[in-house]
């Protein structure tokens, strides 16, 4: 399908899924409310599934009840989709947060993976103030093919996880913390200078981006399995 401009100034990239393995998504924050509601109406009638991110609860609530019923909406993550993509037969992503205050970012990533048809395991409140929590979660992290870590404040959890598992780790700094946390800038800097080698760092609060990074690994695993079925 070719790209097509809507009445709301949005040019959908319908070829993205075939090109990079990740479908188009709608980032709602900053868009006029009527444009978002119009996109919700249009995409609900489309056969292709679509993911809406940063869809504020008050904006979604402004949609007619029959339209809201067409969507799977999750207010904490501010995500909505009509239906998920077909499940991937191989691969799993573990998502771990430092605290429940990181929940909106953690669940944006988790819901994106759900939409993409990828198996995920959510592990919340495993911050380094109680290291016994993350050590107890290590078997679940080791069983995953990729790990997403969300943390604010000093963001030490990313270095801890990166130093305890060989799995690919994608770290997301969150805008959580007092004063010198600087709305996530301190967490971002801490993750960027992590002493754990090979930790990939996303932008502040970008759970969607982390999920897409992990999805590229899962897509690669599935591609290899489909080209070499039954290979040990």
């Amino acid at each position: 399908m070719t790209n097509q401009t809507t009445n709301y100034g949005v040019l959908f990239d319908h070829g993205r899924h075939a090109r990079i393995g990740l479908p188009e998504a709608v980032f709602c924050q900053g868009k006029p409310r009527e444009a978002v509601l119009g996109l919700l109406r249009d995409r609900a009638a489309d056969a292709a599934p679509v993911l809406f991110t940063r869809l504020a609860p008050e904006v979604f609530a402004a949609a007619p009840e029959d339209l809201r019923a067409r969507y799977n909406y999750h207010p904490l993550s501010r995500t909505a989709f009509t239906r998920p993509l077909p499940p991937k037969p191989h691969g799993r992503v573990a998502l771990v947060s430092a605290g429940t205050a990181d929940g909106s970012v953690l669940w944006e990533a988790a819901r994106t993976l759900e939409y993409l048809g990828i198996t995920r395991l959510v592990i919340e409140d495993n911050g380094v103030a109680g290291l016994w929590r993350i050590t107890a979660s290590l078997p679940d992290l080791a069983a995953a093919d990729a790990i997403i870590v969300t943390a604010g404040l000093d963001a030490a959890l990313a270095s801890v996880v990166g130093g305890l598992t060989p799995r690919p780790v994608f770290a997301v700094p969150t805008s959580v913390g007092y004063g010198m946390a600087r709305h996530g800038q301190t967490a971002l800097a801490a993750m960027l200078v992590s002493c754990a080698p090979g930790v990939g760092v996303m932008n502040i609060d970008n759970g969607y981006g982390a999920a897409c990074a992990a999805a590229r690994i899962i897509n690669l695993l599935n591609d290899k399995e489909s080209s070499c079925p039954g290979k040990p």
Side-chain angles (χ1 to χ4, degrees):
M1 184 182 294
T2 59
N3 296 336
Q4 180 179 357
T5 303
T6 70
N7 294 329
Y8 321 107
V10 177
L11 182 62
F12 275 96
D13 183 4
H14 294 290
R16 184 181 299 177
H17 197 183
R19 192 172 66 250
I20 67 171
L22 297 168
E24 172 77 287
V26 177
F27 181 79
C28 299
Q29 186 174 322
K31 288 183 173 62
R33 176 175 294 197
E34 286 308 310
V36 173
L37 295 177
L39 288 167
L40 285 168
R41 285 192 297 270
D42 290 351
R43 307 314 293 178
D46 197 315
V50 63
L51 172 69
F52 288 80
T53 67
R54 295 294 178 91
L55 177 54
E58 62 271 19
V59 175
F60 187 70
E65 183 177 355
D66 62 333
L67 180 58
R68 296 198 307 271
R70 301 283 299 275
Y71 284 89
N72 180 330
Y73 181 68
H74 187 264
L76 177 60
S77 66
R78 295 176 291 172
T79 59
F81 50 78
T82 49
R83 58 183 172 84
L85 297 175
K88 300 286 185 184
H90 306 286
R92 179 168 71 164
V93 178
L95 304 97
V96 57
S97 69
T100 52
D102 305 307
S104 61
V105 179
L106 178 80
W107 280 100
E108 180 181 78
R111 288 268 299 175
T112 300
L113 291 169
E114 179 183 351
Y115 165 71
L116 294 174
I118 295 172
T119 301
R120 81 286 195 283
L121 173 67
V122 175
I123 305 168
E124 296 190 83
D125 199 21
N126 270 226
V128 300
L131 280 172
W132 59 269
R133 295 178 293 191
I134 193 62
T135 55
S137 299
L138 286 178
D140 288 327
L141 298 181
D145 297 290
I147 299 169
I148 294 172
V149 177
T150 60
L153 298 169
D154 59 4
L157 183 62
S159 291
V160 170
V161 172
L164 290 175
T165 175
R167 301 303 188 219
V169 176
F170 300 101
V172 188
T174 67
S175 52
V176 170
Y178 296 109
M180 288 301 292
R182 293 178 175 173
H183 306 289
Q185 293 184 41
T186 296
L188 173 61
M191 288 176 171
L192 288 172
V193 299
S194 171
C195 61
V199 173
V201 182
M202 313 307 293
N203 203 349
I204 296 170
D205 291 339
N206 190 6
Y208 168 77
C212 289
R216 287 176 179 260
I217 291 176
I218 303 303
N219 288 344
L220 181 61
L221 290 175
N222 282 274
D223 289 344
K224 287 185 177 295
E225 288 289 341
S226 63
S227 61
C228 302
K231 185 176 179 180

